[in-house]
Amino acid sequence: MPAEISELASSIRKKIRRDGPVSFAWFMEQALYHPAHGYYSSGRCAIGRHGDYFTSVSIGPLFGKLLAAQFAEIWERLGRPNDFTIVEQGAHHGEFADDTLAALRERWPKFFRTVRYRIVEPFSILRQRQEDRLGPFAEKLEWVTAVERMAPFCGVHFSNELLDAMPVHLLIAADGKWQERFVDHTSSGFTFVERPAENRLLGKLPSAPEDGYKTEVNLATLHWIEALAPKLEHGLILTADYGFNREAFYAPERRAGTLQSYAAHRVLPTPLEEVGEHDLSAHVEWTSLVERAEAAGLTIAGFTDQHHFLTGLLAGDPELATAATKNNRALQTLLHPEFLGMKFQFLGLTKGQVPPLSGFRFGRDPRHALGLI
């Protein structure tokens, strides 16, 4: 085990000895985002064929080209404002920003001349890698360390696989009640212990099902949308991730929960070992997120899977479709139901008048799809 990972595990053990068992949400936050030793914050995260997992961005530049078309359409439908900002959160090493800005420069030069690109990045090692990659676009770029510190903007906030990596609380059903799973430490290593779940975690969870049923509660996504909503003056929040509506999230077939640990494209048996060395993620429960977004003044613009979202973009743009088919292997990976097409969903939330978007043209009624009606 590398020294820095041992140091992180030791730090967590010390806190447990001092204060008692910690919530899994806190444990997951340390594992992924500890300033010095977290999987993401240390720069250890590796994405792609030789990394721990694939994303749509790691397939190649096509994903950025497709989303550039959606951003350009938003700019057009907002009346071509000269203060349009693309905000990206979860930019990793800047690959998506690079692909998107290159596509805008090539095909939408008027939009490119006016657009600003803002990256929300709290970690200096990742910002440095982004700056190194995005040097040719330096005049377009700005960075902020947190959504809360960001100036209000007109434009679009985009994230891809951001929400699934936010820390979650773990719950398990026992004796007809929900128990929260905490992390303790024994001579055998980290282990789970249970305590009665606090009311703030229960929200709209169903009554506790049969004993042993496990699930997650992601309060961090709700706090995130509450912080982001007032920053958007006019435009769209567009997020891509994997998840379920509330009914499907708590379906009997998900009695083991959705939390997973990934390393080298393998699902690991436990999230408690080799802390800080591998990815941790949980599916998004979309319905609660949209309810909180609407309470914060946003309006749902669309919700659909990646296959239908990208197909909608291609159907409305013959030039884009022609270019995409020249990279057919990447296109099939992004669209095919057995690859990424049905795994990911796109959610659009708006503020102000934003006409319907091409990406959602083939989507079902979003309120029906999310179980809101």
Side-chain angles (χ1 to χ4, degrees), residues 58-80:
S58 64
I59 300 303
L62 181 58
F63 187 69
K65 292 180 180 179
L66 294 170
L67 269 296
Q70 183 63 96
F71 299 159
E73 182 186 62
I74 296 169
W75 178 66
E76 293 276 0
R77 295 188 175 183
L78 293 184
R80 297 189 170 193

Side-chain angles (χ1 to χ4, degrees), residues 39-323:
Y39 175 73
Y40 289 118
S41 54
S42 67
R44 187 179 301 114
C45 171
I47 300 174
R49 183 178 301 277
H50 301 293
D52 292 324
Y53 58 92
F54 284 110
T55 71
S56 296
V57 177
S58 64
I59 300 303
L62 181 58
F63 187 69
K65 292 180 180 179
L66 294 170
L67 269 296
Q70 183 63 96
F71 299 159
E73 182 186 62
I74 296 169
W75 178 66
E76 293 276 0
R77 295 188 175 183
L78 293 184
R80 297 189 170 193
N82 58 14
D83 60 345
F84 192 98
T85 301
I86 299 171
V87 180
E88 184 185 359
Q89 190 171 356
H92 193 51
H93 294 169
E95 298 93 330
F96 177 81
D98 192 14
D99 297 338
T100 300
L101 287 168
L104 293 180
R105 181 177 58 189
E106 177 181 354
R107 190 172 172 207
W108 294 277
K110 291 183 179 179
F111 180 28
F112 177 77
R113 284 195 293 270
T114 62
V115 72
R116 294 293 300 170
Y117 203 102
R118 181 183 299 167
I119 296 176
V120 181
E121 183 52 70
F123 304 115
S124 58
I125 189 170
L126 295 183
R127 173 170 174 169
Q128 184 60 59
R129 292 177 184 179
Q130 293 158 11
E131 290 179 342
D132 291 344
R133 182 174 185 120
L134 297 170
F137 301 110
E139 75 284 356
K140 293 289 177 187
L141 295 165
E142 58 188 53
W143 278 265
V144 294
T145 58
V147 166
E148 292 81 359
R149 299 180 181 180
M150 184 168 62
F153 68 98
C154 166
V156 57
H157 178 287
F158 177 73
S159 63
N160 181 60
E161 293 196 63
L162 172 72
L163 306 185
D164 67 89
M166 291 186 176
V168 296
H169 294 266
L170 298 185
L171 273 67
I172 186 170
D175 299 326
K177 297 181 180 179
W178 287 112
Q179 302 280 317
E180 183 176 2
R181 308 193 81 190
F182 284 72
V183 179
D184 201 354
H185 188 269
T186 69
S187 58
S188 300
F190 293 115
T191 186
F192 284 119
V193 295
E194 282 78 46
R195 293 178 175 177
E198 298 179 10
N199 287 336
R200 69 190 182 97
L201 299 179
L202 300 181
K204 296 188 177 180
L205 266 71
S207 299
E210 71 275 10
D211 287 0
Y213 186 102
K214 301 172 186 175
T215 194
E216 305 87 29
V217 174
N218 193 335
L219 298 181
T221 60
L222 307 184
H223 300 326
W224 168 77
I225 199 64
E226 286 180 333
L228 179 57
K231 301 297 184 179
L232 179 65
E233 293 181 328
H234 190 194
L236 182 87
I237 295 169
L238 183 64
T239 185
D241 223 311
Y242 47 89
F244 305 100
N245 67 20
R246 182 184 293 134
E247 181 180 6
F249 192 87
Y250 298 117
E253 59 266 29
R254 263 170 281 285
R255 70 183 315 276
T258 71
L259 177 72
Q260 290 186 318
S261 307
Y262 287 97
H265 301 281
R266 295 181 298 108
V267 177
L268 303 180
T270 173
L272 299 182
E273 295 181 357
E274 298 181 350
V275 57
E277 192 174 9
H278 52 79
D279 186 37
L280 296 170
S281 68
H283 284 59
V284 180
E285 195 267 270
W286 292 110
T287 307
S288 293
L289 176 63
V290 172
E291 288 174 338
R292 189 64 61 93
E294 291 184 331
L298 299 171
T299 301
I300 185 167
F303 178 73
T304 191
D305 58 75
Q306 179 163 297
H307 172 87
H308 285 91
F309 185 87
L310 298 183
T311 300
L313 292 177
L314 295 169
D317 191 333
E319 182 179 343
L320 182 66
T322 300

